[in-house]
Amino acid sequence: MRMKTYAKYVGTAAVMAVSLVLFYLSAVSWDSLISSKEKVMFYLKQPISISDAEEAERQIEEARRNNSQGEEGKEGMPEFCIWGQKNEVNLTNESLCRNFQADAILLCGNPELLFEDCRLPRRKDSLGCLVDEAVAWELFGSLAVEGKEISYERNIYAIRKVLPGDKKIFAYQAGSQSEEDAVFDRITMQKPEGKSLGDLEIAWLSQHDIEVALLDLELLRGIAGACVLLVPLTLGICFLRYLFCQYKEQEKLIWKAAVAVLGLVAAVSFFMTLKPLVQIPDDYIPTKWSEFSFWPELWACKKERMRLLWQMPKTDLDYGWIRDTGRAAGFGLLAEAAAVVLVLRRIKSSGKL
């Protein structure tokens, strides 16, 4: 009998430990998603050429200069990077006679929007490039390769920085050496203040004749966040339910009052803890509650954006948010399943929560 009791406690502790580990992994992945919420990503419905991307950049820089000088002109855009990917290009280290295939990312703008804490190569640096650790190791057998040269399409590029990771990435700024058939199909921007994402879509089309579609990563962050918060919600509700049962069982008024105060404190603390984590974007709130067409239109819009996220061609940089979304949602649901098992075991053993 005693062995069965020990086994029950050990099983409960094991399930609780698994739930906590899964919840931690889910929260870490969600935090990675949240850290990128200051960036906005667009997909170009019609890819553009290098000359079109450079013309758009020239117009944006001109508008910024006009605004800084108090002149009338096009409204300035936030920091941006127009980019595209070409798969499996051949890179060469001629000094060591080594070749390696990597995915080339052609940039037109600020590389820091794609690679965290990486401001190189600068916009006019068409002779500089970035490589990740996999490329550096395969071409040089070392990670200390900044300043060394590699060749691509008969052009020589100097490595400005080594990026962490093993995605086999080679990135460089568009310039006179860039191949003419290269295309751009993505735009990554800083999230603007005081300007809606819909306004940005219109601005790209009206000012630069570039038709873009928003990649709704905010929706994915919301879905992943809901999965992460399932465990705290479940445990919080169960604890409040337990306090309510204790309140009903107390016969003395002083103990009823004590349990009631404890429950109130727990409910307020629970609400204040979760409140900063639950943020509803403005486009999810109708301007008038009597606007009944808002909800069907919102559903249709989100369904279309989810379809775009699913069907669009993926790049190496997309697998970051895909991985984090999958882990946050998957680990969160598994952690919730383990928490439900704990609750059911509690119900089975005591007949109540």
Side-chain angles (χ1 to χ4, degrees):
M1 185 68 180
R2 183 174 297 178
M3 289 298 295
K4 289 184 178 180
T5 303
Y6 287 153
K8 182 178 71 173
Y9 286 140
V10 169
T12 300
V15 174
M16 184 179 297
V18 169
S19 180
L20 290 175
V21 170
L22 291 171
F23 173 71
Y24 172 78
L25 294 174
S26 177
V28 168
S29 297
W30 189 38
D31 183 66
S32 297
L33 279 175
I34 292 176
S35 64
S36 63
K37 69 178 181 179
E38 298 304 321
K39 299 175 185 178
V40 182
M41 295 177 59
F42 294 102
Y43 178 75
L44 277 62
K45 298 180 180 179
Q46 292 294 330
I48 61 176
S49 64
I50 291 176
S51 58
D52 292 333
E54 291 181 328
E55 176 61 20
E57 184 187 32
R58 186 193 64 77
Q59 293 176 0
I60 292 172
E61 292 301 325
E62 182 179 352
R64 285 178 179 169
R65 287 195 298 269
N66 291 339
N67 290 338
S68 65
Q69 295 171 5
E71 301 177 12
E72 293 185 359
K74 296 176 182 177
E75 190 176 354
M77 286 281 191
E79 278 291 323
F80 72 96
C81 183
I82 308 176
W83 58 281
Q85 177 171 305
K86 190 172 182 179
N87 296 327
E88 297 183 349
V89 304
N90 192 52
L91 306 177
T92 303
N93 177 357
E94 296 182 352
S95 61
L96 296 178
C97 297
R98 289 188 176 185
N99 297 305
F100 187 64
Q101 285 191 332
D103 294 332
I105 297 178
L106 185 56
L107 313 170
C108 186
N110 184 359
E112 192 173 14
L113 292 170
L114 303 185
F115 310 110
E116 189 175 356
D117 298 326
C118 181
R119 299 181 180 181
L120 300 174
R122 301 187 186 279
R123 176 62 195 92
K124 302 302 181 182
D125 183 10
S126 60
L127 300 178
C129 71
L130 304 170
V131 298
D132 68 2
E133 293 174 340
V135 175
W137 185 258
E138 290 293 335
L139 289 180
F140 295 93
S142 171
L143 300 182
V145 298
E146 292 185 14
K148 295 185 179 182
E149 296 180 339
I150 59 177
S151 63
Y152 164 58
E153 294 286 333
R154 296 181 229 175
N155 298 315
I156 303 299
Y157 294 90
I159 298 175
R160 304 302 187 204
K161 187 172 181 178
V162 177
L163 302 169
D166 57 356
K167 297 178 182 178
K168 303 177 183 178
I169 288 177
F170 162 70
Y172 64 105
Q173 290 279 5
S176 58
Q177 297 192 107
S178 305
E179 57 268 41
E180 290 300 323
D181 62 344
V183 295
F184 297 82
D185 60 1
R186 298 297 184 88
I187 298 176
T188 300
M189 304 182 66
Q190 283 185 344
K191 193 171 185 179
E193 295 182 3
K195 182 183 290 187
S196 71
L197 302 183
D199 291 339
L200 276 181
E201 290 184 271
I202 296 173
W204 278 108
L205 181 60
S206 61
Q207 297 180 14
H208 309 290
D209 197 26
I210 299 176
E211 189 176 5
V212 300
L214 176 67
L215 298 182
D216 200 349
L217 301 187
E218 187 70 42
L219 177 59
L220 295 183
R221 281 191 286 266
I223 294 173
C227 295
V228 173
L229 296 179
L230 282 174
V231 169
L233 283 172
T234 299
L235 297 182
I237 291 173
C238 290
F239 181 66
L240 292 176
R241 172 65 179 170
Y242 170 77
L243 290 179
F244 179 71
C245 293
Q246 292 297 313
Y247 173 83
K248 292 196 301 182
E249 290 178 359
Q250 301 302 320
E251 297 180 357
K252 294 184 178 180
L253 182 61
I254 186 171
W255 291 115
K256 280 185 175 290
V259 174
V261 170
L262 179 59
L264 180 62
V265 171
V268 172
S269 300
F270 184 65
F271 174 78
M272 295 303 294
T273 301
L274 293 184
K275 182 181 178 182
L277 302 177
V278 180
Q279 299 179 358
I280 302 176
D282 294 336
D283 61 344
Y284 285 67
I285 304 175
T287 55
K288 297 180 180 179
W289 291 107
S290 58
E291 192 176 347
F292 300 111
S293 62
F294 173 83
W295 303 109
E297 291 174 358
L298 178 64
W299 172 257
C301 176
K302 296 303 177 183
K303 187 167 65 172
E304 182 63 29
R305 288 178 174 174
M306 284 297 292
R307 184 181 296 112
L308 174 62
L309 288 171
W310 177 262
Q311 295 179 349
M312 71 178 188
K314 304 300 190 295
T315 69
D316 290 331
L317 302 185
D318 291 321
Y319 292 114
W321 56 261
I322 292 173
R323 179 196 63 237
D324 290 335
T325 301
R327 288 179 177 177
F331 287 140
L333 292 174
L334 290 174
E336 171 65 8
V340 169
V341 169
L342 287 175
V343 173
L344 294 178
R345 288 172 67 93
R346 169 66 180 172
I347 295 174
K348 183 177 179 180
S349 63
S350 63
K352 61 182 179 179
L353 290 178

